Amino acid sequence: MKKIWTLFLLLAFLTSCDHKSKIEKEVEEIPINIKVERFDKIFYESPVENLQNVKNKYPYFFPSQTPDSVWVNKIKNPLYRELYSEVQKKYSNFEKVNSDLESLFQHIKFYFPNIKTPKVITLISEMDYQNKVIYTDSLVLISLDLYLGKNHKFYEFPEYLKQNFEQNQIMPDIVTSFSVRKIPFGSNRNLLSYMIYAGKQLYLKDILLPQSTDANKIGYTPEQITWCQENESYMWRYFMEEQLLYSTDIRLPSRFINSAPFSKFYLEIDNETPGRVGTWVGWQIVRSFMKNNDVNLQQLLQMDPIEIFQNSKYKPKK
């Protein structure tokens, strides 16, 4: 009997792998022409007398009310030129990023066939860490100055922010920006809604970035992932006992959803926790829902958070 059960599990595993490989083979066959324009290089390497030509080609980077003297001073500023030099050292070879972009947009095209593949433009954004990537209908803007590596000398940010200033966060950040356009938030502002919304965003990364690690998808260290896995049942018990899921307390997003050095259970262990643990739990709920329901990706992204939770059959691992 034991041998039969082992054989059954092996066949199930092989069938699952074969199904996944078929999807990935279909994805790989999708023709994608990624056009990356290095605006960072164009801006800083163009002679000042050619500034008007640059402005004509990229008008969306040059507000009409800003005089040319501002741009000329920026081109000549030693600090900005040093930042530009650091970006070029890191990204003189862009082949790895190009390859990752191609794979990502093949996956996007597979699951969202009506989406037009955008033009990708790299730039230097003066350390605007809240807009590392901007995804619009026709453009994806990537601020390369925010992907130089967490220990770069230019970064004077808290550690919880710097840990995601790595090259491996470019694709997850693109998906995050893309997801804002595909996932409606809804009218509810309770903790559960925030958790499920974040869980949908992370599940979208499961689908569009299948080769990425869970740590990279959520922007955690491996140790922070391990902490969440080992404390999943305790976190869930806390949310339930404190009756937080349906609470609309405006402090809850900052405690459990938004970027922060740690989460705020108001317990002695707080300093040991990663920030945003509510997003991680929401991710597990969405994963459980998709495992236990016959729903496609498009349907999931539009579904009500309460319906997802109630049909998820979610049980935290002990």
Side-chain angles (χ1 to χ4, degrees):
M1 183 66 183
K2 184 177 180 181
K3 290 182 178 180
I4 295 175
W5 179 242
T6 302
L7 180 61
F8 173 78
L9 290 176
L10 179 62
L11 289 173
F13 173 77
L14 292 174
T15 300
S16 174
C17 290
D18 184 57
H19 175 67
K20 182 178 180 180
S21 66
K22 285 180 180 178
I23 291 178
E24 289 304 304
K25 286 177 182 177
E26 290 184 45
V27 169
E28 290 172 359
E29 292 173 359
I30 296 174
I32 288 290
N33 181 23
I34 296 295
K35 184 178 181 182
V36 178
E37 296 187 11
R38 295 293 301 273
F39 174 76
D40 51 311
K41 296 183 69 173
I42 293 170
F43 180 76
Y44 283 99
E45 293 184 5
S46 295
V48 170
E49 55 268 26
N50 288 347
L51 177 61
Q52 189 58 50
N53 293 334
V54 178
K55 291 173 63 177
N56 291 341
K57 187 174 181 180
Y58 301 96
Y60 33 81
F61 291 143
F62 299 93
S64 59
Q65 67 271 21
T66 304
D68 284 356
S69 59
V70 171
W71 309 118
V72 172
N73 289 336
K74 187 173 180 180
I75 292 173
K76 295 181 177 180
N77 186 294
L79 186 59
Y80 284 127
R81 294 210 66 84
E82 185 180 0
L83 177 58
Y84 166 67
S85 177
E86 292 297 302
V87 169
Q88 299 318 304
K89 287 179 187 177
K90 176 72 175 178
Y91 294 103
S92 59
N93 186 333
F94 215 64
E95 290 183 6
K96 175 63 167 64
V97 180
N98 268 327
S99 176
D100 291 343
L101 285 167
E102 180 178 303
S103 176
L104 170 58
F105 285 109
Q106 283 177 320
H107 283 83
I108 289 177
K109 198 68 176 177
F110 181 84
Y111 291 100
F112 302 91
N114 295 326
I115 293 291
K116 181 181 178 181
T117 301
K119 179 166 62 176
V120 178
I121 300 179
T122 64
L123 65 150
I124 293 174
S125 68
E126 304 175 27
M127 301 293 177
D128 182 6
Y129 70 90
Q130 293 182 315
N131 292 290
K132 294 162 70 183
V133 169
I134 298 175
Y135 194 120
T136 71
D137 282 331
S138 58
L139 295 174
V140 171
L141 308 179
I142 303 173
S143 299
L144 292 181
D145 52 318
L146 287 162
Y147 298 99
L148 296 176
K150 65 181 180 181
N151 295 320
H152 195 276
K153 62 182 180 180
F154 279 177
Y155 293 152
E156 297 181 357
F157 295 95
E159 189 64 32
Y160 74 94
L161 292 176
K162 290 195 299 183
Q163 73 181 45
N164 288 315
F165 291 178
E166 300 282 353
Q167 181 176 329
N168 61 25
Q169 285 300 296
I170 294 177
M171 300 306 134
D173 285 345
I174 292 176
V175 177
T176 296
S177 188
F178 173 75
S179 71
V180 173
R181 307 171 57 80
K182 306 306 295 182
I183 306 173
F185 190 88
S187 58
N188 289 325
R189 289 295 184 271
N190 55 40
L191 179 60
L192 179 63
S193 295
Y194 283 104
M195 291 168 64
I196 298 298
Y197 180 83
K200 288 180 181 181
Q201 287 185 315
L202 289 162
Y203 186 79
L204 193 57
K205 295 179 186 181
D206 285 338
I207 299 299
L208 300 181
L209 300 171
Q211 304 305 317
S212 184
T213 66
D214 280 5
N216 285 345
K217 290 171 191 171
I218 193 172
Y220 275 177
T221 64
E223 292 77 17
Q224 288 172 325
I225 286 287
T226 298
W227 190 95
C228 288
Q229 292 170 338
E230 291 178 349
N231 292 277
E232 183 176 358
S233 63
Y234 298 108
M235 289 190 289
W236 186 247
R237 187 190 311 161
Y238 178 88
F239 292 146
M240 298 298 287
E241 290 178 351
E242 298 295 320
Q243 300 181 346
L244 297 182
L245 291 184
Y246 297 101
S247 172
T248 56
D249 185 335
I250 60 174
R251 295 171 295 181
L252 290 174
S254 64
R255 291 175 61 189
F256 300 113
I257 303 295
N258 302 339
S259 292
F262 52 84
S263 297
K264 300 176 181 67
F265 293 91
Y266 301 143
L267 300 172
E268 291 183 1
I269 65 165
D270 279 4
N271 287 336
E272 303 173 15
T273 70
R276 301 179 290 124
V277 295
T279 69
W280 189 86
V281 175
W283 190 12
Q284 309 319 306
I285 294 172
V286 172
R287 281 175 162 175
S288 181
F289 173 82
M290 292 302 286
K291 179 181 178 181
N292 292 299
N293 293 271
D294 185 16
V295 171
N296 64 38
L297 180 62
Q298 311 289 346
Q299 292 170 322
L300 168 71
L301 300 184
Q302 301 299 317
M303 286 184 66
D304 179 76
I306 295 177
E307 183 180 358
I308 290 174
F309 172 59
Q310 291 177 341
N311 291 282
S312 67
K313 300 179 182 178
Y314 170 67
K315 291 183 179 180
K317 297 180 177 65
K318 296 182 179 180

